[in-house]
Amino acid sequence: MNSKYKVKVNKTLEFDLTNKDVSKVDTIQTSENQYHILQEDKSYHTEVIQSDFNNKKYTVKVNHNIYQVDIANALDLQIEAMGFSIGASKQVNAIKAPMPGLLLEIHVKVDQQVQEDDPLLILEAMKMENVILSPRDGVIKSISAIKGDAVDKGQLLIEFA
């Protein structure tokens, strides 16, 4: 499978990459966080200075320049397209399934108060368990599915009051 990624550098430059693109880069790891890269007959000394693996944000030094790098995979892009992006997340009033899957757990009840980033439910998709977190503080108005349901992409799962 050839996964796709959107890479943003310093929040201004964007690149679309695939696993195939990445595998073509001649890279040698020289220490735990340092790499030597040879690309089009040019040599680059790189170092991962800081990494936030969960949010896919990295600070990378290439030769003597420092860059902020954000990496989004296909699932991240799909979730963002459904209104879960950071800027839009405070306005979310409904949680819809970001992909088809099986509802393994529901961690909330109607009228329950939740905080931003509280786990709401677990959706199994592509043999992976995806914890869906609350995008904002609020009260659960309704739950439109039950544990064990097979859900379709875009199907309403939870509404906020």
Side-chain angles (χ1 to χ4, degrees):
M1 188 162 102
N2 201 15
S3 299
K4 295 182 181 182
Y5 304 92
K6 183 167 291 290
V7 179
K8 290 184 182 178
V9 179
N10 292 341
K11 298 185 180 179
T12 55
L13 298 172
E14 286 190 13
F15 302 94
D16 292 318
L17 298 174
T18 65
N19 286 351
K20 188 175 180 181
D21 296 326
V22 174
S23 70
K24 289 180 183 178
V25 177
D26 188 7
T27 306
I28 297 173
Q29 186 170 2
T30 57
S31 70
E32 184 178 346
N33 293 326
Q34 295 183 346
Y35 302 84
H36 183 259
I37 298 174
L38 191 59
Q39 180 74 17
E40 297 177 5
D41 296 324
K42 290 185 181 179
S43 179
Y44 301 93
H45 296 281
T46 64
E47 179 180 2
V48 178
I49 297 172
Q50 189 174 29
S51 65
D52 180 352
F53 182 77
N54 290 332
N55 292 311
K56 300 178 187 123
K57 295 180 184 293
Y58 303 88
T59 303
V60 179
K61 184 176 182 181
V62 179
N63 292 339
H64 299 291
N65 300 309
I66 296 177
Y67 302 95
Q68 299 300 317
V69 179
D70 298 319
I71 301 172
N73 61 22
L75 177 60
D76 297 326
L77 297 172
Q78 191 175 35
I79 289 171
E80 182 178 343
M82 295 185 75
F84 283 93
S85 64
I86 303 238
S89 66
K90 306 299 182 210
Q91 307 303 319
V92 172
N93 290 320
I95 304 295
K96 296 180 180 177
M99 66 197 85
L102 180 67
L103 206 50
L104 295 180
E105 297 286 334
I106 299 176
H107 295 292
V108 294
K109 295 180 169 74
V110 173
D111 294 329
Q112 181 177 336
Q113 179 77 34
V114 295
Q115 303 297 313
E116 184 174 352
D117 294 329
D118 281 353
L120 301 175
L121 51 91
I122 299 176
L123 180 67
E124 180 185 49
M126 301 179 285
K127 298 183 182 179
M128 290 178 49
E129 292 184 7
N130 301 283
V131 178
I132 307 297
L133 303 175
S134 178
R136 65 177 180 93
D137 295 352
V139 176
I140 303 299
K141 177 181 175 181
S142 68
I143 301 172
S144 302
I146 61 170
K147 180 179 174 180
D149 278 358
V151 298
D152 294 321
K153 176 182 173 182
Q155 180 177 333
L156 179 65
L157 302 174
I158 293 176
E159 286 183 294
F160 288 93

